[in-house]
């Protein structure tokens, strides 16, 4: 079943919250993972792996560096879901 | 720079999360009331793995009730306990203002992050390497708790971890004294932590027949010095103190609980687990601690003993005390608080140091529970009803011994 970008954003925000303790409403599309949300590379890997499991997509390791903003991640997951 | 070697080191903050209380005051009240923290384990793995021991002295207040969710996720339970105890100790000390480069940490652990290690091994086998948590290694390393406390307090004078099995907590406090005496630090947050109530260590300790199997009466299972003792009761938790140079503590008007006067350490080099039966190594640790405190053997009025409730260990410690103190032994009031807390392994020495500090501060020695028929081989004045201590300057010892032949004695003085 296709998920809307809004649903992906909400799911991603829950993952970020669980790993970092950030409030889900801070996880907005234009936020940078590193600069705005202060998420380090270790946490980012956990978020990616958990997102793969949650959304049933594959996010290759060399793609992770391109996911600079929350919007990048949502788009990637959305495209992956076709 | 003038020598700091003779500086007095004092205790200004206490923190503990234990099987009998979530804080130091709760723990102390439970100890004075003679309450046991041993209870039947309600974990499905007890039956699943057919463990021969069905009880342990599990933590009184789960960290999830105290810490943020993200902290419980990113820290092994051993680090969680240490952080809880360190925060309490730091607040209790009045959160002293200190240059971070003059503040150190020393938090020991006997086993380290065994939950993380084995959970992540399961993840690897069941789900593959990509699912292994990226923080697995820093969570399982035995210095993880010291690092977590160092990060929390921005302590930059050095962060250390003594790993000496069941003397890790006491040895870390000894490191704290030495950090201050060497001039490297002014304040040190020191203690021990352990979170090993896990089926694998339980199976291991049971396999070596070290654990009590009194499954029908957990609260009576830890019975140091009793003729019917049959092994120790595994406990978990952490205890941490704030150590400070006397000048620093006085300059800021801190409440001083006691002086951590010295540490004595030695090694048995006898057997990997069995204590040297004559107790010569343990005796040397005790006499060194007393002499290094500038005291004489006759000054010691109280010993909080290691006394784990194993048939062999309690006798070996008795022999060591008798060897060190001779006839003076009969004038020393002994207590074994593991009768209530169980054996917290790498946190045991630090918890018992906290209890010894409080015994001197409040001038009362808590009773040893479950002592019904004292072993005739152990001729000690064991306190079985809370006993008042007299006024005046008093010296007490806290003994800790670890697998590997480690002997640590802390000398603590009223202030």
């Amino acid at each position: 079943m296709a998920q809307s970008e809004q649903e992906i954003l909400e799911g991603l925000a829950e993952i970020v919250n669980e790993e970092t303790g950030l409030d889900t409403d801070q996880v907005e599309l234009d936020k940078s993972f590193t600069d705005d949300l202060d998420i380090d590379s270790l946490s980012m890997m956990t978020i990616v792996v958990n997102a793969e499991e949650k959304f049933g997509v594959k996010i290759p390791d060399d793609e992770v560096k391109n996911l600079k903003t929350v919007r990048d991640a949502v788009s990637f997951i959305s495209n992956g879901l076709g | 720079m003038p020598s700091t070697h003779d500086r007095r080191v004092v205790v200004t903050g206490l923190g503990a999360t234990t099987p009998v209380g979530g804080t130091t005051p709760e723990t102390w009240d439970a100890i004075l009331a003679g309450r046991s923290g041993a209870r039947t384990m309600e974990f499905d793995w007890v039956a699943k793995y057919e463990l021969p021991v069905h009880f342990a002295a599990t933590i009184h207040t789960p960290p999830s009730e105290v810490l943020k969710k993200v902290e419980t996720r990113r820290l092994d339970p051993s680090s969680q306990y240490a952080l809880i105890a360190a925060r309490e100790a730091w607040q209790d000390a009045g959160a002293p203002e200190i240059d971070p480069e003059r503040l150190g940490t020393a938090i020991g652990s006997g086993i380290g992050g065994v939950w993380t290690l084995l959970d992540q091994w399961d993840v690897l086998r069941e789900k593959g390497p990509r699912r292994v948590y990226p923080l697995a290694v820093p969570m399982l390393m035995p210095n993880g708790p010291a690092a977590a406390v160092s990060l929390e307090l921005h302590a930059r004078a050095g962060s250390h971890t003594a790993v000496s099995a069941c003397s890790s907590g006491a040895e870390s406090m000894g490191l704290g004294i030495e950090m201050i005496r060497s001039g490297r630090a002014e304040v040190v947050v020191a203690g021990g932590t352990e979170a090993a109530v896990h089926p694998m260590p339980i199976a291991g300790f049971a396999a070596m027949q070290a654990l009590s199997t009194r499954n029908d009466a957990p609260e009576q299972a830890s019975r140091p010095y009793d003729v019917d003792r049959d092994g120790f009761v595994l406990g978990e938790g952490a205890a941490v103190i704030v150590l400070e140079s006397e000048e620093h503590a006085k300059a800021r008007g801190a409440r001083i609980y006691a002086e951590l006067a010295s540490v004595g350490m030695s090694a048995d080099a006898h057997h990997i687990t069995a204590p040297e039966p004559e107790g010569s190594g343990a005796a040397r640790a005790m006499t060194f601690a007393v002499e290094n405190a500038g005291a004489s053997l006759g000054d010691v009025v109280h010993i909080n003993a290691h006394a784990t409730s194993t048939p062999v260990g309690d006798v070996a410690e008795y022999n060591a005390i008798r060897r060190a103190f001779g006839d003076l032994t009969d004038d020393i009031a002994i207590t074994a608080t593991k009768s209530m807390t169980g054996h917290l392994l790498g946190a045991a020495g630090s918890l018992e140091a906290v209890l010894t500090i409080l015994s001197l501060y409040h001038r009362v020695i808590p009773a040893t529970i479950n002592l019904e028929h004292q072993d005739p081989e152990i001729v000690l004045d064991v306190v079985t009803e809370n006993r008042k201590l007299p006024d005046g300057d008093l010296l007490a010892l806290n003994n800790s011994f670890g697998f590997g032949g480690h002997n640590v004695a802390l000398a603590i003085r009223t202030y």
Side-chain angles (χ1 to χ4, degrees):
Chain A
M1 192 179 76
Q3 297 185 60
S4 72
E5 294 207 346
Q6 184 59 33
E7 286 168 330
I8 294 169
L9 175 64
E10 285 168 14
L12 194 60
E14 283 170 18
I15 292 170
V16 170
N17 166 262
E18 194 174 327
E19 179 57 25
T20 66
L22 282 168
D23 285 343
T24 51
D25 58 11
Q26 288 183 263
V27 184
E28 297 170 322
L29 286 172
D30 291 330
K31 293 273 178 76
S32 154
F33 285 110
T34 51
D35 298 340
D36 298 323
L37 301 180
D38 202 22
I39 290 171
D40 63 20
S41 59
L42 294 180
S43 295
M44 193 62 196
M45 281 313 300
T46 307
I47 290 164
V48 163
V49 171
N50 288 345
E52 285 185 341
E53 184 155 282
K54 183 161 196 155
F55 299 110
V57 293
K58 190 85 193 140
I59 307 174
D61 284 354
D62 33 346
E63 189 61 42
V64 175
K65 64 179 185 301
N66 299 326
L67 306 179
K68 295 192 189 314
T69 64
V70 175
R71 187 187 306 279
D72 295 337
V74 170
S75 300
F76 189 93
I77 292 164
S78 179
N79 291 338
L81 291 172
Chain B
M1 189 172 166
S3 169
T4 55
H5 192 73
D6 297 327
R7 283 213 284 191
R8 296 176 81 184
V9 176
V10 297
V11 181
T12 56
L14 304 174
T17 182
T18 73
V20 297
T23 62
T24 303
E26 272 181 31
T27 297
W28 180 242
D29 287 350
I31 293 293
L32 287 182
R35 277 204 293 279
S36 169
R39 42 187 82 91
T40 300
M41 291 186 285
E42 308 289 345
F43 308 121
D44 56 6
W45 44 258
V46 177
K48 181 178 173 188
Y49 298 121
E50 299 176 13
L51 295 177
V53 176
H54 302 167
F55 62 97
T58 52
I59 197 83
H60 176 275
T61 304
S64 58
E65 292 181 16
V66 185
L67 298 176
K68 286 185 269 187
K69 194 172 153 200
V70 63
E71 291 171 328
T72 58
R73 181 174 165 80
R74 295 169 71 104
L75 295 170
D76 180 83
S78 59
S79 291
Q80 296 173 27
Y81 297 159
L83 192 58
I84 291 167
R87 282 176 178 164
E88 184 194 359
W90 190 249
Q91 290 307 315
D92 188 47
E97 278 189 29
I98 174 87
D99 174 359
E101 294 182 2
R102 306 288 296 145
L103 172 63
T105 57
I107 310 283
S109 176
I111 299 186
V114 66
W115 273 102
T116 298
L117 176 65
L118 295 173
D119 277 354
Q120 293 299 312
W121 171 238
D122 286 345
V123 169
L124 172 63
R125 291 195 298 180
E126 289 162 18
K127 298 181 176 173
R130 202 173 149 76
R131 296 288 298 166
V132 171
Y133 193 43
L135 292 175
V137 171
M139 286 171 71
L140 68 85
M141 63 194 193
N143 56 313
V149 174
S150 172
L151 278 165
E152 166 89 4
L153 299 175
H154 309 291
R156 299 194 172 117
S159 178
H160 305 276
T161 301
V163 178
S164 54
C166 306
S167 53
S168 306
E171 186 174 337
S172 294
M173 289 182 174
L175 284 177
I177 299 175
E178 290 173 359
M179 288 170 79
I180 293 173
R181 292 229 170 107
S182 72
R184 183 151 59 92
E186 205 71 51
V187 179
V188 177
V189 177
T193 186
E194 202 74 73
V197 181
H198 178 288
M200 206 293 291
I202 290 173
F205 283 125
M208 66 195 301
Q209 307 207 316
L211 293 176
S212 168
T213 55
R214 199 179 285 259
N215 290 324
D216 55 347
E219 296 190 349
Q220 295 163 34
S222 186
R223 42 197 315 119
Y225 306 131
D226 191 86
V227 286
D228 293 323
R229 67 190 185 278
D230 71 329
F232 77 82
V233 174
L234 182 61
E236 61 178 341
V240 172
I241 62 178
V242 176
L243 290 173
E244 209 164 334
S245 69
E246 183 186 35
E247 311 88 283
H248 192 269
K250 283 174 95 166
R252 70 183 187 89
R255 169 196 44 205
I256 295 173
Y257 284 103
E259 178 190 0
L260 191 55
S262 74
V263 60
M265 297 194 243
S266 70
D268 280 351
H270 165 74
H271 183 273
I272 189 65
T273 57
E276 196 272 294
E278 299 301 312
S280 61
R284 269 189 299 123
M286 286 184 259
T287 50
F288 185 92
V290 173
E291 287 164 9
N292 206 242
S296 55
L297 292 168
D299 294 332
V300 176
V301 296
H302 167 50
I303 298 176
N304 187 311
H306 187 60
T308 63
S309 179
T310 62
V312 174
D314 290 5
V315 173
E317 183 179 15
Y318 165 65
N319 290 338
I321 293 171
R322 183 65 67 178
R323 174 180 278 258
F325 291 92
D327 291 343
L328 295 169
T329 303
D330 302 323
D331 300 326
I332 302 173
I334 309 279
T335 197
T337 44
K338 285 188 183 78
S339 57
M340 293 164 279
T341 64
H343 187 357
L344 275 66
L345 308 180
S350 57
L351 174 56
E352 287 141 25
V354 165
L355 297 175
T356 310
I357 290 161
L358 286 171
S359 296
L360 292 180
Y361 186 66
H362 294 297
R363 294 188 187 261
V364 58
I365 303 172
T368 302
I369 67 166
N370 296 326
L371 181 53
E372 292 173 38
H373 303 289
Q374 188 164 334
D375 186 335
E377 273 191 73
I378 299 174
V379 187
L380 289 174
D381 174 16
V382 182
V383 173
T384 53
E385 283 182 19
N386 295 347
R387 187 184 298 177
K388 276 190 172 307
L389 280 165
D391 293 340
D393 287 345
L394 303 176
L395 190 71
L397 290 185
N398 164 216
N399 282 342
S400 298
F401 311 121
F403 284 171
H406 310 276
N407 306 305
V408 181
L410 293 169
I412 303 166
R413 190 185 274 126
T414 48
Y415 191 89

mmCIF file of all heavy atoms in Angstrom, chain B residues 30-49:
data_model
loop_
_atom_site.group_PDB
_atom_site.id
_atom_site.type_symbol
_atom_site.label_atom_id
_atom_site.label_comp_id
_atom_site.label_asym_id
_atom_site.label_seq_id
_atom_site.Cartn_x
_atom_site.Cartn_y
_atom_site.Cartn_z
ATOM 1 N N ALA B 30 16.411 1.214 54.201
ATOM 2 C CA ALA B 30 16.113 -0.217 54.061
ATOM 3 C C ALA B 30 17.146 -1.059 54.808
ATOM 4 O O ALA B 30 16.805 -2.062 55.457
ATOM 5 C CB ALA B 30 16.095 -0.603 52.579
ATOM 6 N N ILE B 31 18.396 -0.626 54.736
ATOM 7 C CA ILE B 31 19.468 -1.374 55.405
ATOM 8 C C ILE B 31 19.276 -1.315 56.926
ATOM 9 O O ILE B 31 19.415 -2.311 57.630
ATOM 10 C CB ILE B 31 20.848 -0.786 54.997
ATOM 11 C CG1 ILE B 31 21.122 -1.037 53.504
ATOM 12 C CG2 ILE B 31 21.973 -1.333 55.872
ATOM 13 C CD1 ILE B 31 21.305 -2.460 53.110
ATOM 14 N N LEU B 32 18.942 -0.135 57.439
ATOM 15 C CA LEU B 32 18.724 -0.025 58.888
ATOM 16 C C LEU B 32 17.496 -0.817 59.330
ATOM 17 O O LEU B 32 17.409 -1.265 60.474
ATOM 18 C CB LEU B 32 18.568 1.448 59.305
ATOM 19 C CG LEU B 32 19.840 2.292 59.294
ATOM 20 C CD1 LEU B 32 19.533 3.706 59.773
ATOM 21 C CD2 LEU B 32 20.954 1.675 60.146
ATOM 22 N N ALA B 33 16.544 -0.989 58.399
ATOM 23 C CA ALA B 33 15.338 -1.763 58.717
ATOM 24 C C ALA B 33 15.557 -3.263 58.489
ATOM 25 O O ALA B 33 14.653 -4.063 58.739
ATOM 26 C CB ALA B 33 14.161 -1.261 57.868
ATOM 27 N N GLY B 34 16.724 -3.638 57.982
ATOM 28 C CA GLY B 34 17.028 -5.054 57.781
ATOM 29 C C GLY B 34 16.271 -5.699 56.633
ATOM 30 O O GLY B 34 16.003 -6.902 56.659
ATOM 31 N N ARG B 35 15.937 -4.897 55.620
ATOM 32 C CA ARG B 35 15.163 -5.448 54.494
ATOM 33 C C ARG B 35 16.068 -6.082 53.449
ATOM 34 O O ARG B 35 17.071 -5.506 53.041
ATOM 35 C CB ARG B 35 14.344 -4.339 53.828
ATOM 36 C CG ARG B 35 13.043 -4.053 54.526
ATOM 37 C CD ARG B 35 12.018 -3.423 53.581
ATOM 38 N NE ARG B 35 12.379 -2.093 53.134
ATOM 39 C CZ ARG B 35 12.200 -0.980 53.839
ATOM 40 N NH1 ARG B 35 11.692 -1.032 55.055
ATOM 41 N NH2 ARG B 35 12.539 0.191 53.340
ATOM 42 N N SER B 36 15.671 -7.248 52.967
ATOM 43 C CA SER B 36 16.410 -7.940 51.913
ATOM 44 C C SER B 36 15.942 -7.468 50.545
ATOM 45 O O SER B 36 14.759 -7.210 50.335
ATOM 46 C CB SER B 36 16.176 -9.448 52.019
ATOM 47 O OG SER B 36 16.675 -10.083 50.860
ATOM 48 N N GLY B 37 16.886 -7.355 49.615
ATOM 49 C CA GLY B 37 16.540 -7.029 48.233
ATOM 50 C C GLY B 37 16.450 -8.269 47.350
ATOM 51 O O GLY B 37 16.238 -8.152 46.142
ATOM 52 N N ALA B 38 16.612 -9.444 47.938
ATOM 53 C CA ALA B 38 16.555 -10.675 47.130
ATOM 54 C C ALA B 38 15.107 -11.052 46.853
ATOM 55 O O ALA B 38 14.263 -10.986 47.746
ATOM 56 C CB ALA B 38 17.256 -11.808 47.867
ATOM 57 N N ARG B 39 14.827 -11.380 45.617
ATOM 58 C CA ARG B 39 13.457 -11.730 45.247
ATOM 59 C C ARG B 39 13.461 -12.722 44.097
ATOM 60 O O ARG B 39 14.440 -12.818 43.345
ATOM 61 C CB ARG B 39 12.667 -10.471 44.862
ATOM 62 C CG ARG B 39 13.435 -9.478 44.017
ATOM 63 C CD ARG B 39 12.673 -8.165 43.809
ATOM 64 N NE ARG B 39 12.801 -7.231 44.913
ATOM 65 C CZ ARG B 39 13.749 -6.275 45.008
ATOM 66 N NH1 ARG B 39 14.638 -6.117 44.061
ATOM 67 N NH2 ARG B 39 13.794 -5.471 46.052
ATOM 68 N N THR B 40 12.350 -13.441 43.963
ATOM 69 C CA THR B 40 12.210 -14.384 42.852
ATOM 70 C C THR B 40 12.213 -13.615 41.537
ATOM 71 O O THR B 40 11.563 -12.574 41.422
ATOM 72 C CB THR B 40 10.896 -15.172 43.008
ATOM 73 O OG1 THR B 40 10.956 -15.876 44.248
ATOM 74 C CG2 THR B 40 10.711 -16.159 41.868
ATOM 75 N N MET B 41 12.956 -14.102 40.559
ATOM 76 C CA MET B 41 13.022 -13.411 39.263
ATOM 77 C C MET B 41 11.804 -13.781 38.417
ATOM 78 O O MET B 41 11.533 -14.959 38.202
ATOM 79 C CB MET B 41 14.302 -13.827 38.515
ATOM 80 C CG MET B 41 15.571 -13.314 39.156
ATOM 81 S SD MET B 41 17.033 -13.678 38.147
ATOM 82 C CE MET B 41 17.241 -15.422 38.451
ATOM 83 N N GLU B 42 11.105 -12.733 37.968
ATOM 84 C CA GLU B 42 9.896 -12.968 37.162
ATOM 85 C C GLU B 42 10.227 -12.878 35.672
ATOM 86 O O GLU B 42 9.483 -12.278 34.909
ATOM 87 C CB GLU B 42 8.809 -11.936 37.522
ATOM 88 C CG GLU B 42 8.490 -11.813 39.001
ATOM 89 C CD GLU B 42 7.742 -13.026 39.556
ATOM 90 O OE1 GLU B 42 7.234 -13.822 38.737
ATOM 91 O OE2 GLU B 42 7.698 -13.175 40.788
ATOM 92 N N PHE B 43 11.354 -13.400 35.263
ATOM 93 C CA PHE B 43 11.745 -13.330 33.856
ATOM 94 C C PHE B 43 11.481 -14.675 33.187
ATOM 95 O O PHE B 43 11.757 -15.728 33.776
ATOM 96 C CB PHE B 43 13.233 -12.990 33.718
ATOM 97 C CG PHE B 43 13.662 -11.773 34.493
ATOM 98 C CD1 PHE B 43 14.649 -11.862 35.469
ATOM 99 C CD2 PHE B 43 13.077 -10.535 34.260
ATOM 100 C CE1 PHE B 43 15.052 -10.747 36.188
ATOM 101 C CE2 PHE B 43 13.475 -9.411 34.975
ATOM 102 C CZ PHE B 43 14.463 -9.510 35.947
ATOM 103 N N ASP B 44 10.984 -14.615 31.934
ATOM 104 C CA ASP B 44 10.659 -15.894 31.272
ATOM 105 C C ASP B 44 11.910 -16.743 31.035
ATOM 106 O O ASP B 44 11.841 -17.956 30.914
ATOM 107 C CB ASP B 44 9.879 -15.662 29.971
ATOM 108 C CG ASP B 44 10.601 -14.750 29.005
ATOM 109 O OD1 ASP B 44 11.761 -14.375 29.287
ATOM 110 O OD2 ASP B 44 10.006 -14.398 27.964
ATOM 111 N N TRP B 45 13.090 -16.089 30.995
ATOM 112 C CA TRP B 45 14.290 -16.861 30.717
ATOM 113 C C TRP B 45 14.731 -17.770 31.867
ATOM 114 O O TRP B 45 15.554 -18.656 31.684
ATOM 115 C CB TRP B 45 15.435 -15.983 30.244
ATOM 116 C CG TRP B 45 15.709 -14.673 30.947
ATOM 117 C CD1 TRP B 45 15.362 -13.430 30.506
ATOM 118 C CD2 TRP B 45 16.413 -14.457 32.183
ATOM 119 N NE1 TRP B 45 15.806 -12.464 31.388
ATOM 120 C CE2 TRP B 45 16.454 -13.061 32.411
ATOM 121 C CE3 TRP B 45 17.019 -15.310 33.110
ATOM 122 C CZ2 TRP B 45 17.065 -12.494 33.545
ATOM 123 C CZ3 TRP B 45 17.629 -14.740 34.239
ATOM 124 C CH2 TRP B 45 17.639 -13.355 34.440
ATOM 125 N N VAL B 46 14.187 -17.554 33.046
ATOM 126 C CA VAL B 46 14.575 -18.415 34.171
ATOM 127 C C VAL B 46 14.132 -19.855 33.893
ATOM 128 O O VAL B 46 14.918 -20.802 34.024
ATOM 129 C CB VAL B 46 13.975 -17.902 35.489
ATOM 130 C CG1 VAL B 46 14.324 -18.842 36.637
ATOM 131 C CG2 VAL B 46 14.480 -16.497 35.792
ATOM 132 N N ALA B 47 12.867 -19.991 33.464
ATOM 133 C CA ALA B 47 12.361 -21.337 33.145
ATOM 134 C C ALA B 47 12.885 -21.800 31.789
ATOM 135 O O ALA B 47 13.248 -22.971 31.614
ATOM 136 C CB ALA B 47 10.833 -21.311 33.131
ATOM 137 N N LYS B 48 12.947 -20.861 30.843
ATOM 138 C CA LYS B 48 13.365 -21.224 29.479
ATOM 139 C C LYS B 48 14.728 -21.917 29.476
ATOM 140 O O LYS B 48 14.942 -22.897 28.775
ATOM 141 C CB LYS B 48 13.419 -19.948 28.638
ATOM 142 C CG LYS B 48 13.822 -20.160 27.192
ATOM 143 C CD LYS B 48 13.802 -18.827 26.440
ATOM 144 C CE LYS B 48 14.359 -18.979 25.035
ATOM 145 N NZ LYS B 48 14.516 -17.664 24.387
ATOM 146 N N TYR B 49 15.660 -21.388 30.274
ATOM 147 C CA TYR B 49 17.008 -21.977 30.300
ATOM 148 C C TYR B 49 17.205 -22.921 31.480
ATOM 149 O O TYR B 49 18.329 -23.353 31.738
ATOM 150 C CB TYR B 49 18.063 -20.857 30.324
ATOM 151 C CG TYR B 49 18.015 -19.989 29.093
ATOM 152 C CD1 TYR B 49 17.794 -18.624 29.193
ATOM 153 C CD2 TYR B 49 18.177 -20.547 27.826
ATOM 154 C CE1 TYR B 49 17.735 -17.820 28.056
ATOM 155 C CE2 TYR B 49 18.118 -19.751 26.692
ATOM 156 C CZ TYR B 49 17.893 -18.389 26.816
ATOM 157 O OH TYR B 49 17.839 -17.611 25.697
#
